[in-house]
Amino acid sequence: MTERVFNFNAGPATLPLPVLEEAQREMLNYRGSGMSVMEMSHRSKEYEAINNEAEANMKELLGLGDNYRVLFLQGGASTQFAMVPMNFLQAGQRADYILTGSWSEKAQKEAAKLGQTHIAATTQEGNYKRIPSLEEIQLSEAPAYVHITSNNTIFGTQWQSFPDFGDIPLVADMSSDILCKLFDANKFALIYAGAQKNLGPSGVTVVVIRQDMIEKAATNIPTMLRYDIHAKNNSLYNTPPSYSVYMVNLVLKWLKAQGGLAAMEQRNLEKAALIYDVIDNSNGFYTGHADKDSRSTMNITFRLPNEDLEKTFASEATKQGMIGLKGHRSVGGMRASTYNAMSREGCQALSDFMKEFMRKNG
Amino acid sequence: MTERVFNFNAGPATLPLPVLEEAQREMLNYRGSGMSVMEMSHRSKEYEAINNEAEANMKELLGLGDNYRVLFLQGGASTQFAMVPMNFLQAGQRADYILTGSWSEKAQKEAAKLGQTHIAATTQEGNYKRIPSLEEIQLSEAPAYVHITSNNTIFGTQWQSFPDFGDIPLVADMSSDILCKLFDANKFALIYAGAQKNLGPSGVTVVVIRQDMIEKAATNIPTMLRYDIHAKNNSLYNTPPSYSVYMVNLVLKWLKAQGGLAAMEQRNLEKAALIYDVIDNSNGFYTGHADKDSRSTMNITFRLPNEDLEKTFASEATKQGMIGLKGHRSVGGMRASTYNAMSREGCQALSDFMKEFMRKNG
Ligand SMILES: Cc1ncc(COP(=O)(O)O)c(C=O)c1O
Ligand SMILES: Cc1ncc(COP(=O)(O)O)c(C=O)c1O
Ligand SMILES: [Mg+2]
Ligand SMILES: [Mg+2]
Ligand SMILES: [Mg+2]
Ligand SMILES: [Mg+2]
């Protein structure tokens, strides 16, 4: 058995080792129940406790009260691209989208198939290097909601602070940075995130939804796409992806034990700095894709002087136990995903490797 | 750590112990990759191999050739209730449903929200004790498809042989009996099953679909609900529920090692007989819900003389390590789910317990 690698995959992504170890210990027999969590009825007391605990932990970490629900759904963030407009974009209305990358484009395109959309801002020019300034955002008149992507997994940009549009519902795809830092979740009408980056394994999508949104969600759509049905049934309308929810709850408990969002923010800033500092002090050997004031702490995108060096970089890194560093084709170069579960040691190792690689090839 | 119980849950349900043990061994490091399957990119060679192997194993077990695809989707069988009509019930068409239990009712109701349906037969009278005879089935003129539920999880009935409607596409919800016996899968246009009963953990829905159905599936619906998109992308359009697919593949390998569907059928018949024989020889102490010629080998439903005895039965069984025996409220009494992964020992233990319980309380 080889050692575990430093896994810089963009998602599914690295998980905290203690979480995997706990899951391993409990695999055949969850707390004396005589069965695996995978074998437990979703109507059992044990599973209900996991489900409720996961909701409570999520709300606690986000600082949310009784006017919010947390749902554990299936279908990934891609299904949310359709569910959001199906539930909240009525005929005659318009929904505003701010485009900061491929995922916001996909969200907007899916909504445009179902209703009218307006692009309130886009930073597509220059290949999504930045988050728009508040002044650039041109809302339509009374949109049904405004949709943003808080962190752009592919391009490596991240909203540094969130806009406030008053009474207009703010909806965010936080798939790649949920729980990475302190922020005011109470500003959002709806937040969704595929779990497979910052929350756990794939197979469960976390939806944080404000009570008034549940009340105005559409009811004339397929049952499984109705937020009100899932909220009323406590995410147990049908069989939930129970093992993924269990894993998410273990990750949430781990996050709390690490000190919650304040501690995560500090740690994520330090981790990202280990890598951004090498880029900034490389005299142009490494070039970051994102503008400095839009940089993500979760996905760090950079290029090398040429594609041959980029290939060598990836393969030498792999040999040294650092995997998943090849960037997405729409940016090229490298991408280091440094989610909550990526250790400081992993980032230090990558930082050291980058310096050494530059020394040898610069 | 207590021992493992005999788990008669209806789903999520018991899994083969060797499968859980393999998952446990590989939890921190899948075959020297240095990571868990949960942490692997769904675009990696390792995960693609799992995905492809799962499709190939499923097709091999079902005896299907190149004119079929197997998809691994999210959302449970309940999402299929909507996806089937959204993809195949066009305006002006009608879809036929044969009602044999609560799940077929739900499937039909979901379709009726989206288009026109016709109830081709129902055995609701008498509380779904049986499967209709061929003569009872009255199809509408040229329906878009005919939908059946092959095994009725709640009522404990099961189609003993499948109808053949010629060119009319036959669609089956096989959530609770897929791969339990030999049958001609080539008769079906589409088969779907939530994995959490006979295939693995919850979180993944297996869809077996014939090539011509993929070609005529709707394209003007949300992307994530399009069968053609998932088929074209090899179930990797977006992030799949990868750990659940991995577990399903382990279960499929286990099934093959057990001797495939012929061996499973033999074993399931013997397992079910251990329990049905006690019912039939109890002089009315135990009464089966299903008519004898409609009995399921997967869910065995029976009542005791009164509700007090039923409660005592469940609690004493639990004390003896047999759990999940309480029936669904729409039938009352007891239900023993004896899916592929339930061992003969478990059924023997229940059979012995039933005899002893009758001796003491009869
Ligand atoms: C920001 C963002 N949104 C949406 C998605 C799509 O998520 P899923 O694969 O769960 O549908 C991703 C996946 O990488 C993402 O990074
Ligand atoms: C025959 C049948 N169909 C559908 C379902 C619903 O499945 P899911 O919970 O995966 O939506 C069940 C669940 O018990 C079932 O037994
Ligand atoms: Mg992006
Ligand atoms: Mg991505
Ligand atoms: Mg039923
Ligand atoms: Mg059931």
Side-chain angles (χ1 to χ4, degrees), chain A residues 10 75-79 81 103 149 151 153 173 175-176 194 196-197, chain B residues 238-239:
Chain A
S78 298
T79 297
F81 294 169
W103 297 110
T149 311
N151 184 78
T153 324
D173 175 0
S175 291
S176 51
Q196 67 270 9
K197 296 161 199 298
Chain B
N238 77 326
T239 317

Side-chain angles (χ1 to χ4, degrees), chain B residues 100-105 128 149 151-157 176 299 328 330-331 335:
Chain B
T100 51
S102 317
W103 297 111
S104 9
E105 280 182 11
Y128 292 122
T149 311
N151 184 77
N152 299 284
T153 324
I154 293 175
F155 297 96
T157 64
S176 50
N299 308 98
H328 191 277
S330 30
V331 179
R335 168 175 58 180

Side-chain angles (χ1 to χ4, degrees), chain B residues 69-73 80 190-193 205-209 227:
Chain B
R69 291 299 309 272
V70 178
L71 310 177
F72 300 102
L73 307 184
Q80 295 306 305
L190 191 151
I191 295 169
Y192 62 87
T205 318
V206 173
V207 173
V208 177
I209 183 167
Y227 291 116

